[in-house]
Amino acid sequence: MKVKLNREAILRSKLFWAVVAEVLILLVGFIMRPDFLSVQLMTLADGSRVLFGTPIDILNRSAEITIIAMGMTLVIALGGTDISVGALVAVSGATALKFLRWDVLEYTTPGDYTVYPFVYVLVVPLLACTVMGLFNGTLIAKLKIQPIIATLILMVAGRGVAQIITNGKQFTTQYSPFKFIGGGSLFSLPFPIIITIAVVAGMIFFVRRTSFGMFVESVGINPSASRVSGLRSDVIIIIVYIITGFLAGVSGLIYSSRISSNDSNNAGLGYEMDAILAVVIGGTSMTGGKFSMMGTVVGSLIIRSITTLVLYFGVVSEAIMAFKALIIAGVIILQSEPVRRAIARRSNKKKQLMGGELHA
């Protein structure tokens, strides 16, 4: 009886079907090209050794979305949304490059140096994005503005702020410590993967080993009841948006480090939609309430795996969005409550029939 209940719970789990979808995507790639899942250890010119291959590339290139989606999971668990995170990525990159290349008008050629101390390059962008997250949270929690409207302000204004920071210029840098963020390696893994692991582990610990995750779910399910019970729902909302702003800043540093430049027009473009999709695919309901951090990680990997798969097999870039939409639609339908219930009932009936035949 216990096994039966566990089986039904697994079949009705959105996380389970998200994992199944990711496995199927990787399996399709493997069937078409056996080297699709190959991983090798390569020695670089500086003597360091790093793993490379399609699975490593998927983990590496999904870092920005996964990190943002950690914050977006909590936002959606509150029943809200944040469409400003892509613009905050641009602000983070612009601020970092400004502190690296404040002298761009005097020295146009980028070099392996920074104008201001490197700690400023890291701290100021994160602080700026955190303050912007506070701005979003205050509008929503204190002024009771709808989340999509409140975050639309920075979605529109954020890239303008990034352009103002850099005077409309695109700065480039060759400063080694900064380039290491997006292009270095540690423990034979690309450094963005290490950052992602640290962020995911930290967020899971924060929401599951403290009462904060329970508070978020409580506010997401019923904000009024939470307030009546003595929970400061406005404080919870502000903290969640602060966290999301900070994580968008981290993603912005990784992005700008990868390209060794700020790109205020294109940095973080579409990240908000990918982050929301990752959260939904991972099993968190848009209506708020219970959430799954690990589900979000799997959702982010699914999105990146789809992109990698279609690029790997030479599909034209214009068709990537169509392929992504089709596959994601299939994953979401597979996760839908009616489909999961039907599969669970079918499995239960099959088991009962097999049990009856054996009994007879």
Side-chain angles (χ1 to χ4, degrees):
M1 186 67 179
K2 185 176 180 181
V3 174
K4 177 182 175 182
L5 291 174
N6 286 341
R7 182 184 178 88
E8 290 179 359
I10 291 172
L11 290 175
R12 294 180 65 175
S13 167
K14 289 184 178 181
L15 175 59
F16 171 76
W17 291 111
V19 172
V20 169
E22 173 65 5
V23 170
L24 288 176
I25 292 169
L26 296 178
L27 186 60
V28 169
F30 176 74
I31 291 172
M32 296 180 70
R33 288 278 295 271
D35 62 340
F36 185 76
L37 296 179
S38 64
V39 176
Q40 299 176 6
L41 188 63
M42 180 175 65
T43 303
L44 303 179
D46 60 1
S48 61
R49 309 184 76 186
V50 62
L51 292 168
F52 77 100
T54 305
I56 300 298
D57 184 64
I58 290 172
L59 291 171
N60 184 17
R61 292 294 176 174
S62 66
E64 290 96 315
I65 298 301
T66 303
I67 290 170
I68 290 176
M70 289 292 99
M72 191 69 77
T73 302
L74 298 182
V75 169
I76 291 177
L78 289 172
T81 189
D82 187 345
I83 58 174
S84 69
V85 289
L88 296 193
V89 168
V91 171
S92 176
T95 308
L97 266 296
K98 183 72 171 182
F99 280 95
L100 283 166
R101 294 297 318 281
W102 206 293
D103 64 341
V104 68
L105 295 178
E106 297 180 42
Y107 305 100
T108 56
T109 304
D112 190 0
Y113 68 93
T114 176
V115 176
Y116 283 85
F118 189 50
V119 65
Y120 290 1
V121 177
L122 299 179
V123 172
V124 176
L126 297 179
L127 182 60
C129 291
T130 301
V131 170
M132 290 182 171
L134 172 62
F135 174 77
N136 285 336
T138 301
L139 292 181
I140 295 163
K142 298 297 184 181
L143 301 184
K144 308 302 179 184
I145 298 175
Q146 289 291 328
I148 194 169
I149 301 301
T151 57
L152 179 63
I153 296 172
L154 280 180
M155 179 187 179
V156 174
R159 295 188 187 279
V161 172
Q163 292 283 6
I164 292 170
I165 291 171
T166 58
N167 299 320
K169 301 182 183 298
Q170 186 167 341
F171 295 175
T172 56
T173 182
Q174 295 298 322
Y175 188 51
S176 300
F178 184 72
K179 293 181 68 175
F180 182 84
I181 296 173
S185 63
L186 187 65
F187 307 123
S188 298
L189 288 173
F191 195 60
I193 297 178
I194 302 298
I195 297 174
T196 304
I197 292 172
V199 169
V200 171
M203 288 297 294
I204 291 176
F205 179 86
F206 178 57
V207 300
R208 295 307 181 195
R209 296 298 181 182
T210 70
S211 56
F212 188 77
M214 183 180 63
F215 292 162
V216 170
E217 290 179 348
S218 176
V219 174
I221 293 170
N222 194 327
S224 300
S226 299
R227 285 194 296 270
V228 171
S229 64
L231 186 62
R232 292 287 303 276
S233 58
D234 55 341
V235 175
I236 299 299
I237 292 171
I238 290 173
I239 291 173
V240 165
Y241 279 90
I242 287 174
I243 292 171
T244 306
F246 174 82
L247 294 178
V250 174
S251 181
L253 290 176
I254 295 174
Y255 180 91
S256 57
S257 173
R258 287 191 196 278
I259 63 174
S260 301
S261 173
N262 64 292
D263 187 358
S264 300
N265 291 323
N266 298 310
L269 200 62
Y271 278 17
E272 57 278 346
M273 294 299 105
D274 281 348
I276 292 171
L277 274 174
V279 175
V280 174
I281 291 172
T284 301
S285 172
M286 289 294 291
T287 58
K290 291 188 177 297
F291 61 89
S292 171
M293 286 292 185
M294 286 308 302
T296 296
V297 173
V298 176
S300 177
L301 292 177
I302 287 174
I303 291 172
R304 186 62 214 183
S305 297
I306 293 169
T307 304
T308 302
L309 185 68
V310 295
L311 288 174
Y312 196 83
F313 294 107
V315 177
V316 292
S317 58
E318 291 79 3
I320 289 177
M321 296 304 293
F323 274 86
K324 184 188 290 187
L326 287 173
I327 298 174
I328 288 173
V331 174
I332 292 175
I333 291 171
L334 193 64
Q335 289 182 321
S336 64
E337 189 68 20
V339 172
R340 289 186 292 116
R341 284 180 178 175
I343 293 173
R345 284 197 301 267
R346 183 182 178 88
S347 176
N348 190 29
K349 286 180 181 179
K350 184 177 179 181
K351 192 170 182 180
Q352 287 177 347
L353 289 172
M354 289 179 65
E357 292 172 1
L358 289 172
H359 182 71

